[in-house]
């Protein structure tokens, strides 16, 4: 013998609505949970079914004192259907109006765009110009490394790095000189920490070109 099929949500909604229609009375949730099984709706699902009916305005509820009462009349469903019908009719009229506006806009846009030899020639020229623009844009991208703006930014960054290198080189020499003056007995240890003796001689010369004057300035770069 096959197992009896349970009720669907819509069937449960209809069963619970029938309780209201038959009695035309007010109920507490706990009362509905007791009456639901008599209609084939298990008590555990009554709360969710009633809430779905409330959400759809098919069942009304109100709090009286500390209790919440639920009720529904046959006219409630009729009113709900009439409200839905009015809304759908309003949406349909709005859609028809919008459709008419779009058709009118489409017809207006077609004016002056009728198929002709002149239009075909103009479209061909436009396509050729767009293709040429793309080719020039691709060619320009190949010279991005020689962009004056990029070159200027790189030059400024190099000058900043060069200045920072000189500043830290001076700092290192100043710190070494201070240590040598204040801790003469540790001079040999300081030289050993660097791995070799620190030379005060200039080991390289960098030439820096300025943007405006184009003058060359020799700067000694001390390395250790």
């Amino acid at each position: 013998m096959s197992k009896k099929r349970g009720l669907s949500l819509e069937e449960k909604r209809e069963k619970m609505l029938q309780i209201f229609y038959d009695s035309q009375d007010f109920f507490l949730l706990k009362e509905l949970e007791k009456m639901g099984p008599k209609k084939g709706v298990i008590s555990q699902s009554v709360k969710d079914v009633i809430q779905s009916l409330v959400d759809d305005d098919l069942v009304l509820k109100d709090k009286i004192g500390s209790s919440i009462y639920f009720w529904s009349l046959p006219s409630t469903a009729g009113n709900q259907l009439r409200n839905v019908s009015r809304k759908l009719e309003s949406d349909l009229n709005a859609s028809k109006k919008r459709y008419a506006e779009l058709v009118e806009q489409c017809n207006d846009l077609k004016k002056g765009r009728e198929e002709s030899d002149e239009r075909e020639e103009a479209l061909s020229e436009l396509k050729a110009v767009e293709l040429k623009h793309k080719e020039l844009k691709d060619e320009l991208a190949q010279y991005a490394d020689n962009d004056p703006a990029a070159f200027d930014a790189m030059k400024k960054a190099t000058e900043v790095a060069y200045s920072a290198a000189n500043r830290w080189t001076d700092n290192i020499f100043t710190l070494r000189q201070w240590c040598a003056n204040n801790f003469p007995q540790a001079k040999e240890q300081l030289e050993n920490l660097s791995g070799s003796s620190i030379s005060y001689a200039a080991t390289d010369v960098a030439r820096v070109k300025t943007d405006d004057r184009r003058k060359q300035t020799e700067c000694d770069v001390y390395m250790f």
Side-chain angles (χ1 to χ4, degrees), residues 16-205:
M16 296 306 299
L17 276 176
Q18 197 61 46
I19 293 176
F20 291 106
Y21 295 163
D22 292 343
S23 64
Q24 297 188 16
D25 202 354
F26 300 84
F27 299 98
L28 295 170
L29 180 59
K30 62 181 181 181
E31 294 175 334
L32 294 171
E33 289 175 342
K34 292 179 180 179
M35 301 173 67
K38 297 178 182 180
K39 294 290 186 177
V41 182
I42 60 175
S43 59
Q44 292 86 345
S45 64
V46 168
K47 182 178 180 180
D48 293 335
V49 174
I50 295 298
Q51 184 59 49
S52 70
L53 293 171
V54 171
D55 294 340
D56 292 340
D57 295 328
L58 294 175
V59 171
L60 304 177
K61 71 174 183 178
D62 196 4
K63 186 174 183 180
I64 302 176
S66 60
S67 302
I68 298 178
Y69 288 87
F70 300 87
W71 74 92
S72 179
L73 301 175
S75 60
T76 303
N79 292 334
Q80 175 66 11
L81 291 175
R82 282 188 287 273
N83 291 335
V84 172
S85 177
R86 283 193 292 267
K87 184 178 184 305
L88 291 176
E89 185 176 356
S90 176
D91 292 344
L92 178 60
N93 291 333
S95 297
K96 288 181 178 179
K97 181 179 179 182
R98 179 57 178 165
Y99 173 75
E101 292 175 352
L102 292 175
V103 170
E104 184 178 358
Q105 290 179 10
C106 182
N107 293 333
D108 291 340
L109 291 174
K110 287 181 179 180
K111 295 179 180 179
R113 299 186 181 186
E114 296 80 3
E115 295 296 333
S116 64
D117 294 339
E118 293 180 357
R119 187 170 189 273
E120 290 296 329
E121 183 178 355
L123 290 175
S124 298
E125 292 179 358
L126 176 61
K127 186 175 181 180
V129 171
E130 290 176 343
L131 181 60
K132 184 63 176 179
H133 176 266
K134 184 178 182 303
E135 292 176 353
L136 293 175
K137 188 176 180 180
D138 294 339
E139 183 179 357
L140 183 62
Q142 298 177 3
Y143 300 101
D145 292 340
N146 296 326
D147 183 11
F151 178 78
D152 185 60
M154 185 182 300
K155 185 175 181 180
K156 291 180 179 179
T158 302
E159 292 175 354
V160 172
Y162 178 81
S163 176
N166 280 337
R167 183 170 63 255
W168 281 104
T169 300
D170 292 341
N171 291 341
I172 293 173
F173 291 153
T174 300
L175 177 61
R176 183 188 181 282
Q177 187 62 43
W178 183 86
C179 291
N181 293 338
N182 290 274
F183 307 100
Q185 68 278 13
K187 180 178 179 181
E188 184 177 353
Q189 294 179 357
L190 290 173
E191 293 176 348
N192 291 334
L193 286 175
S194 65
S196 61
S197 296
I198 301 177
S199 176
Y200 284 93
T203 58
D204 193 12
V205 176

